[in-house]
Amino acid sequence: MDLSKIAVSINKAINTQEVAVKEKHARTCILGTHHEKGAHTFWASVNRLPLSSNAVLCWKFCHVFHKLLRDGHPNVIKDSMRNKADLTDMSRMWGHLSEGYGKLCSIYLKLLITKMEFHIKNPRFPGNLQMSNRQLDEAGENDVNNFFQLTVEMFDYLECELNLFLGVFSSLDMSRSVSVTAAGQCRLAPLIQVILDSSHLYDYTVKLLFKLHSCLPADTLQGHRDRFQEQFKKLKSLFYRSSNLQYFKRLIQIPQLPENPPNFLRASALSEHISPVVVIPAESSSPESEHLVETDDLVDTDVPVPPPVLETKFDDLFGTSAAIDPFNFSQNGVRKDDKDRLIDQLTREIQALKDELDSFRLESGRLCQALRGRVNELEAELAEQSHLRLQAEGESEFLKVELDDLRRVREDTEKEQRSLTEIEKKAQANEQRYTKLKEKYSMLVQSHADLLRKNAEVTRQMTVARAAQDEVEAVRREMQEKVKAAQEVADRQERNQLEQFQELQRELASSRTELDSLKTTVASSQQSSELLSTQLVTLESEKVELVQSLSKVETELAVRGEELERVQSSLATERESGVKTAEALQNQLNEKESREQALESQLVAARWSSLQGAVEEAEKIIQDSLTQIEDPAHISCTSSADYLASRCQASLDCMDRLQSAREAFLADNTGVSELVRVVTQCGHLVGDTIVQGSATSHMVPVEQADALSESVKACGAEALALLSQMKQQSSLSAADNGKLRAALEAILATAEKLRPRGLELQQGELGDLVEQEMAATSAAVESAAARIEEMLNNSRAVDTGVKMEVNERILASCTELMQAIKQLVLSSKNLQKDIVESGRGAASMKEFYAKNSRWTEGLISASKAVGWGATVMVDAADLVVQGKGKFEELMVCSHEIAASTAQLVAASKVKADKDSANLQRLQKASRGVTQATAAVVASTKSGKSQIEEKDTMDFSSMTLIQIKRQEMDAQVLVLELETRLQKERERLGELRKKHYELAGVAEGWDEQQEG
């Protein structure tokens, strides 16, 4: 398809007439983008149109551009992003108008800009927005954040579509049949593209919101739901209003949205969602439709058509006419006149035949032109049908794939349904089991509470019983004391009475004696006899009183005895009840002790299970470390020997704590928490030691790396063996961490060997090493200068012409560079002597170097770099002279030498006096090295330009397509080289970073500076 034909169709489609864009012109523009795989021709034609001055022209441009974004080549979006700023300015300009096409153009341009930005941000979405569910899931990359952002962008996109919908409807007078007028159709035609986009955006928004509600809480998505419901109401209303317009009924079948929006809070509502499908009926041929005519066959009225060439068949058959033949003459005039008349007649007939032939030719030209137009029309229709066929095949493949996806989704849904049913059954069984367990647990809790209450009650009863028993004992003792006191009182009274009775008897005896004496003396005195009888009566009355009091005491003793018997009987009864209560309490106490023993056994089992869990977790950590070091991705991990040694030492310290905690647990199994903590910490430390040991092996020589890897694996195996012994209760006491300790000590010893030697130098060795390195550098420079001189002599003997000139120039510049480096090294040595002499005081030179170890190590590193750079540059120069090397290698070596000498100068002058003469000479020598380096680079570049052949570029015999092809190839090569250059720069940066890290480890840069 010619580009000029596309330009003509673009100009026909985008014009100032207020009529709808014809489909055939828009279709030609779409085919043109697929033909040229972009939109360069479209934008080249559009940029010449006055879009900012004519609103109808801008409106039709937006319509055609929208069609290209939907159905054109995918590169149309990328090519159009270059004009985004112009479209934005145009939208802002038309936005100043409040009515008519100006306002509509502003809204439409904002929609197109939003569409381009959406497809640039989400390149997985095609321009027509047709995607399957699987492609929609892939667009979000299974990340809920991406789905969340994609939903917001679709809301913005759909908002712009709805704004254009509302703007067009508000600009039309719906009270009249505007859809049948040309002006109304001009405004309504772009809404077909809006309906197609809106149906897809609505469908994808619903699916994404259901997916988000399955991953995020409902409160988080409240704003999404509110915005969706608002857009749902607008879109439903607009679809309904559009379906009632006569213009859309014959062009598109608009779907109707459901009565209510989907309920995203119910996951099963997704199965009720029906994707809206917009159907565009097949176009029927009508006499009003125009045929697509290729512009190649149109007649250009500006160019004059050359007249047809007259044929002279008559002259070829009958000869030239008599009027022009000088030899045609006759003897008589009559003959000549007849002949002239005949010639005139024949000439007229010939002229008539020629006119008829011209008319026949014109008619045949018109017929050929019409036939060509018809052929072109048929070819265009054939191309369109082929495109439609390919599109139908693509849609058929897409539908097949979507059908397969639906089948797989249905199978997956059935499987998920079955699994969901099984899960529900299991959930019900688990819930029933949980209910039973909960009830049993409640019963156990209730019984436990009852037992606790009974225990408290029994304890209280025991306390009361004990208090009662104590009280009974006290009462008994009190009664016994009272009885004893009463008996003592009765005994005392009885003894007193007995004594009184005996006394009375004695008195009676004495009275009788006296009576006898009185009787003997009765005669002597009557008065004394009467007195005695009176005393006797008195004594008898006292005796009667004593007998009565004795009977009262005996009665009281009998009552007290009965009381004592009652108390003893009640005490025996209480003692029996107390014995029974004590037996019941003893039984409850035994049950409590049995429960405590069961709980103690459960506690012991829980302690052991926690220990086993900690051991298993430590095993997993160590096993994960062993698996990690076997992973190929672990090869890129590195570590230092110092860090490995610190990890080993921490693991060994943890071994001591593990041994102490294990012995403490064996002595008293209640102290399991310390052992669990130590086992977990030990697992982490040993796993870290394994990983760091493997990472350290990636930075050491192969033999040492293999030995370190074997030690690390052996350490992991011993750790797993120790933990497996600790898992068994029977083998816990026999578990020995000696082998694991030996493996860790072996790794520690290897790490100590791998530590940089510069960190362990003694004072004497450091001073000697400075002298050795400076001497080695001088020797390397001398050797390099001698090799360059030898190479120069060999080149003069072998090479001739330009090559000898180039080699002599390069080797001469290298010789000058070596001389400058030699002078720099000598100046540096002299400056170091001044520094040592001025700074050491009474100390020796070696002590000064040891005191300033950081500065000394910098000198050593700089000297090594200078010697190594000189050796490498000589090797590169040798290869260049032999024709086997690259000039770039020699230039890089020169720059590396300049950097190394700068490092040496910086290390030498850091402690020097700024007024020192040797420092001035060192700086002068440094400038000399810089100049010599520049001379080497310049001579190398000059030699390279003389030796390398330059291809002459002759494009005279190449066509436009060949030149375009060569240009594309050159652009591809430039992009490849730029990509490669970028990757090599990144690689160079990583190498420099790694070199800095290794140099820091070797020279102790990571340690704090002393003093």
Side-chain angles (χ1 to χ4, degrees), residues 118 122 125 131-133 135-155 200-216 221 224 228 264 270 273:
F118 177 80
N122 305 280
F125 283 84
M131 295 181 70
S132 64
N133 293 334
Q135 292 173 335
L136 183 62
D137 293 337
E138 292 176 355
E141 299 177 356
N142 292 326
D143 188 354
V144 67
N145 296 320
N146 294 341
F147 285 125
F148 191 92
Q149 181 63 28
L150 183 60
T151 307
V152 174
E153 293 174 0
M154 285 190 177
F155 279 145
H200 290 299
L201 290 174
Y202 166 76
D203 183 30
Y204 298 155
T205 304
V206 171
K207 294 176 180 178
L208 289 176
L209 283 176
F210 272 110
K211 187 179 293 295
L212 287 175
H213 277 79
S214 65
C215 301
L216 296 176
L221 301 172
H224 280 52
F228 173 80
F264 300 110
L270 178 60
H273 170 66

Side-chain angles (χ1 to χ4, degrees), residues 165 169 174 179 188 191-192 195 234-257 277-279:
F165 233 132
F169 278 169
M174 291 301 178
S179 64
L188 292 173
L191 296 186
I192 295 177
I195 292 171
K234 292 181 181 178
L235 187 62
K236 181 180 177 181
S237 174
L238 294 173
F239 275 7
Y240 178 74
R241 294 174 63 184
S242 302
S243 62
N244 294 328
L245 293 178
Q246 188 65 30
Y247 175 69
F248 290 124
K249 289 183 178 179
R250 65 183 184 87
L251 294 178
I252 188 171
Q253 182 178 346
I254 302 174
Q256 296 299 322
L257 299 183
V277 179
V278 180
V279 179

Side-chain angles (χ1 to χ4, degrees), residues 173 191 218 226 339 435 495 503 580 603 692 757 799:
D173 186 5
L191 296 186
D226 296 341
K339 194 173 183 180
T435 304
R495 284 195 299 272
E503 186 176 348
K580 292 180 181 179
L603 183 59
Q692 297 302 327
R757 184 175 177 273
D799 300 327

